[in-house]
Amino acid sequence: MNRDPRANVLERLVNSPPEPEPIRYAIYTRQSVEKLADFSSCEAQFHTCRDFVSAFNDPRLHWCGQRFDDEGQSGATLNRPAMRKLRKVVDLGGIDRIYAVALDRVTRSMRDAIVLLDEFDKAGVDVHFVHQPELTFGVQGRFLRHVLAAFAEFERDMIATRIAESRAYLKQHGRRLAGKVPYGYDADPTAKQLMPNPIEAPRVAAIFARASRGELPNQIASDINDLGWPTKVYHSKRSGKTTGGGRWTARQIVDTLRNPVHVGRFADGADTRDGCHEPIVDPATFDSVQQQLDARRTTDGRFKRSRHDHLAFRQTVACPRCGRFLTTYQTTKRNSDRSGITRFFYSCRSTAAGRARCKGVHYPAWEFEQAVCEIFRDPATWHDLLGSAATDELIEQVMETWSAMPWPWKRDWLKGAVKRIEIDEADSTNSTVSITFSPDAASPFLQQYQAFTNPPVNDPVSAQ
C-alpha cells in the first residue's frame, strides 16, 4: 500500500523545531567633541560593535536599521538627541538588545547609569558592552555597573576640577587660556603663549595708526584688501583643514581695534586682565581709538544690549545647514508719527572667513522661542531634565506651573539652561528642534519654581 506523500510533509512540519525568535539590536555611540574627520569616533564605535556582533554568527541577531550616534555630546546628562530617540524606541518595544563599546559611552553619571539601565531592564532590553562583557544583568554585573559608573563620574569631576585649577593659575600669571590666536600674534608651540608675528604685528600697528587718525573701518578694510593683506590663516592639526586668509570686512577691523590683546591685556568677561605677552600698540593709541569708536555709536551700547535682552537663545541656535550659530537682528517698521514696531529674528547672516550665509535660514524670534517652549509640554522633557527628582506628581505640578509662568521668568531660566539648539529640517513644512541642556539646568529652575509658587507676601509675582 502506497503512503500518501502529503503525510511526509505534515510529519516534517509537526516534528521540526520552531523557528528561533529574532533578536532586534541597536548600537549606541557617543563622543564628547564635534566630528573632526570623515571617520569619527562614533563611526569607529559603531563598526566595533558590528564586528563584535558578527563574531557570534547568530542568525537570530538582526540590526534594527537605525543609527543612534551622539556626536559632540557630553556624558554628564541623558538629554542628548540620539539617547532620547533610543529611549523612545525602547519604550515602544522596537528593540530587544543594545550594544555599546563601554559604559562611559552611555553615561558618565552614576545616577543616570542606575536610572537608565534599570529603565532598560524593566523594558526587557539587555545591554551589552563590547569592552566590558562582564557587566551582565546579574547581581554581580549590577554591582560592577554601579562601581564603574561611580568611577566615570569621579573621573569627569576630577577633569573639571583640574581644568578650573589650571585656568585659575594661567589667569593669575597673565597667561593665555585658549581660543583662536588673534591677528598679529602666533602661539608658542611649547608654552602656547602669544608672541608677535613678524609680518602681522606691523600691520596691526598700521591699522591702529590709521584708525587713530580718524579713518573709518570700512575704508581701512578696503585699503588693506587692495594692498593684499589677507586675514589670519589657521591650520587645524586634527582635521588638516585650513581656514582664513580671506578679505577683511569692516566688522573684522572693528573687532581687531577692540581687542585688548594688542595692548598687552586679555578680555575677562566685562573687564580685562593683565597679560604676560608683548604688546603691539601703545596704551595711548589704543585708548584714542576706543574713544573714536565709542563716539561713532548711533545708540548707547547699554540700550542696544537691552533691546536684545528678551532674546533667550543668542549664540545657542545652530544653523541646520552650515552648523554656525545663528545671529540676531531687528527690523523696525516706522509709522508716520515716527513710532514703529520692532521685530527680532534668528538668521544665518554670518560672512566670517568669506563664507556666504545660508539663504532661507530665517526664523522670527518670538515664534521660534514659543515653538521651543512647546517641547516643555511633553512630560518626557521634564523627566530627563529633573532626573532622579522627577516624580509623576512633581512633573504634573511643574508642567502646570510652566504654563502659568510669564515669559520673562521662562526666558531668564532658558538663557542659562539651554546650551545648544539643533534644528532638523526634515521637510519644508515640518521642522523639529532638539535641545542640549547645561548639566546644572534643573537646580535654577526648581528655585524659580519655588519662588513662583511661593512668592513672598510683600513681593507679589508679576508678569514684569
Side-chain angles (χ1 to χ4, degrees), residues 6 26 39 66 108 152 166 169 181 214 223 243 262 276 281 289 310 324 386 394 421 447 456:
R6 290 176 297 180
F39 192 76
Q66 293 189 66
R108 280 186 174 270
S166 176
Y169 173 85
V181 178
D223 289 346
T243 57
H262 297 116
C276 62
V281 182
V289 171
H310 78 283
R324 293 174 288 182
L386 299 177
L394 176 60
I421 297 178
Q447 293 175 6

Side-chain angles (χ1 to χ4, degrees), residues 154-182:
F154 172 74
E155 180 185 23
R156 175 173 58 85
D157 292 341
M158 286 298 297
I159 291 173
T161 301
R162 293 191 189 108
I163 291 174
E165 292 174 349
S166 176
R167 287 175 63 90
Y169 173 85
L170 293 175
K171 290 175 70 173
Q172 183 180 358
H173 291 80
R175 303 177 71 178
R176 170 174 168 261
L177 298 181
K180 284 191 173 183
V181 178

Side-chain angles (χ1 to χ4, degrees), residues 208 212 263 281-292:
F208 271 89
S212 66
V263 77
V281 182
D282 62 273
T285 301
F286 185 84
D287 292 341
S288 173
V289 171
Q290 305 314 303
Q291 292 173 8
Q292 293 191 50

Side-chain angles (χ1 to χ4, degrees), residues 429-445:
T429 59
N430 185 25
S431 298
T432 59
V433 298
S434 61
I435 301 177
T436 300
F437 288 100
S438 301
D440 57 346
S443 179
F445 176 79

